[in-house]
Amino acid sequence: MQVKTKAIVLSSLKFQEKSLIVKCFTLSHGLKSYFVRDAFSSRKASQKKAYFQPLTILEIEAVHKNKGTLENFKEIKISSAFHSIHSDIYKSTMVMFISEMLHHSIHEEEENEPLFTFLETALHWLDNHDEIANFHLILLLETTKYLGFYPYTSDMNMAFFEMTEGIFTPFHAISSLTEHESNLFKKLIDLKFDNSQKIFHVIERQILLKILIDYYSFHLDGFKKPKSLDVLKEVFS
C-alpha cells in the first residue's frame, strides 16, 4: 500500500556500514519503522542524515506492507525546517531526550492524529521561543493525555498524588508522592507553554523529571529510562 503522510522521527539506528533503520510516528499509521538503504554512501548522504535527526517533521511517501517488517520510503522531504532546535545546545539536548521518551512510549501502529498534532504544534513552539526550561516537563505531562494516563485533576485539593491510580488522595500510600512533591506536581499540571518558564528552580525541575519518568514507568509496560537523561541533567544543571 502506498502512503503519503507526515512523520515525526523518533529514532535512527545505523545498520551495518551504510544503512539506517528509522522509527517514525506517522500521522496516518502511528508507529512505523523504515529501512533506509545507503544512507551514508550516496552523494546526498549529508542531506539524508539531516532528515533523520530527532523529532524532525517529515512529509513522506512510503510503501507499507503492514506485515510487521521494515517499511520503505519512496520520497522524503522536510515538512517545515526548524530554525533553532538542532543548532541550540539546550533545545537539541531536550529534543534528544524527548525523542527517546516517545520512542519508549508510543507502540501502536494505528492513527493517533490528536497526539501527532499536539507534538507538531509543541515542536514549532519550542523552535520559536527562547524561554524553554520547563518545555520537556510540560510536554511529557500533556502527552499522557493522548497515551491514556493523564492525572485525574478533580481532587487536586487533596495533599498527596498517588502514582499508580493517577489520583490525588488525602492519605499517603507507598506509591504516593510526598506532600512537597505533590505540590510541585500540581504546579506543573497548571502550567502551559506560554506561562513563566522560570517558575521552578533547577532542583525542582529535576524532582519533577524523576516524577514524570517514574509515572511513565508505572503506566507503560516495558518502559525504559532514557539513556540521554544524564546528558539532559548536565546541560540544564
Side-chain angles (χ1 to χ4, degrees):
M1 176 174 66
Q2 287 201 198
V3 173
K4 282 187 178 182
T5 186
K6 283 186 176 182
I8 297 173
V9 176
L10 299 186
S11 67
S12 61
L13 177 68
K14 192 172 182 179
F15 179 75
Q16 296 180 343
E17 289 300 312
K18 300 178 181 179
S19 302
L20 279 174
I21 295 172
V22 180
K23 185 172 284 189
C24 294
F25 177 53
T26 69
L27 176 60
S28 62
H29 289 79
L31 191 68
K32 284 289 182 182
S33 294
Y34 298 90
F35 183 66
V36 183
R37 190 182 303 278
D38 297 332
F40 296 93
S41 60
S42 71
R43 283 179 293 177
K44 294 184 177 180
S46 61
Q47 182 182 357
K48 279 188 177 181
K49 285 185 286 185
Y51 291 148
F52 305 124
Q53 294 183 80
L55 302 189
T56 299
I57 304 171
L58 303 172
E59 290 183 18
I60 66 170
E61 288 187 39
V63 176
H64 287 178
K65 295 180 181 178
N66 297 318
K67 293 182 178 179
T69 56
L70 296 174
E71 314 289 13
N72 292 284
F73 294 119
K74 289 191 70 179
E75 301 253 347
I76 317 167
K77 66 178 182 179
I78 291 176
S79 176
S80 50
F82 293 133
H83 304 294
S84 64
I85 282 180
H86 296 304
S87 58
D88 180 296
I89 182 64
Y90 297 102
K91 292 182 181 182
S92 61
T93 302
M94 194 174 277
V95 157
M96 179 174 65
F97 169 75
I98 292 168
S99 68
E100 199 175 351
M101 286 288 292
L102 295 174
H103 172 81
H104 292 310
S105 303
I106 300 172
H107 304 297
E108 292 77 20
E109 287 194 19
E110 58 186 41
E111 179 184 351
N112 189 338
E113 184 175 346
L115 175 56
F116 189 98
T117 302
F118 165 70
L119 293 174
E120 182 179 31
T121 303
L123 289 168
H124 284 298
W125 186 95
L126 176 65
D127 192 43
N128 289 295
H129 290 79
D130 296 321
E131 296 291 335
I132 61 160
N134 300 318
F135 174 84
H136 58 310
L137 303 176
I138 300 169
L139 182 138
L140 292 177
L141 180 60
E142 290 294 309
T143 297
T144 66
K145 288 180 180 177
Y146 307 97
L147 297 178
F149 54 97
Y150 188 73
Y152 186 71
T153 58
S154 292
D155 296 321
M156 281 177 61
N157 59 314
M158 303 293 185
F160 303 101
F161 182 69
E162 201 282 315
M163 298 276 271
T164 57
E165 297 297 325
I167 60 175
F168 288 90
T169 70
F171 309 107
H172 188 269
I174 293 175
S175 54
S176 296
L177 302 179
T178 66
E179 191 165 0
H180 173 62
E181 291 169 339
S182 297
N183 285 331
L184 286 177
F185 199 53
K186 289 175 186 179
K187 277 189 182 180
L188 179 59
I189 287 172
D190 288 335
L191 206 59
K192 304 300 178 190
F193 290 132
D194 287 323
N195 294 139
S196 172
Q197 292 279 329
K198 297 180 179 178
I199 191 170
F200 299 120
H201 299 300
V202 171
I203 300 232
E204 291 176 331
R205 282 199 295 272
Q206 290 179 354
I207 291 170
L208 283 165
L209 189 56
K210 182 183 184 304
I211 289 170
L212 285 166
I213 290 171
D214 289 346
Y215 191 51
Y216 272 64
S217 299
F218 272 115
H219 292 273
L220 294 172
D221 291 337
F223 179 80
K224 297 178 183 178
K225 186 171 82 171
K227 294 177 182 177
S228 56
L229 178 60
D230 291 337
V231 180
L232 183 78
K233 287 180 178 177
E234 182 70 25
V235 169
F236 282 90
S237 62

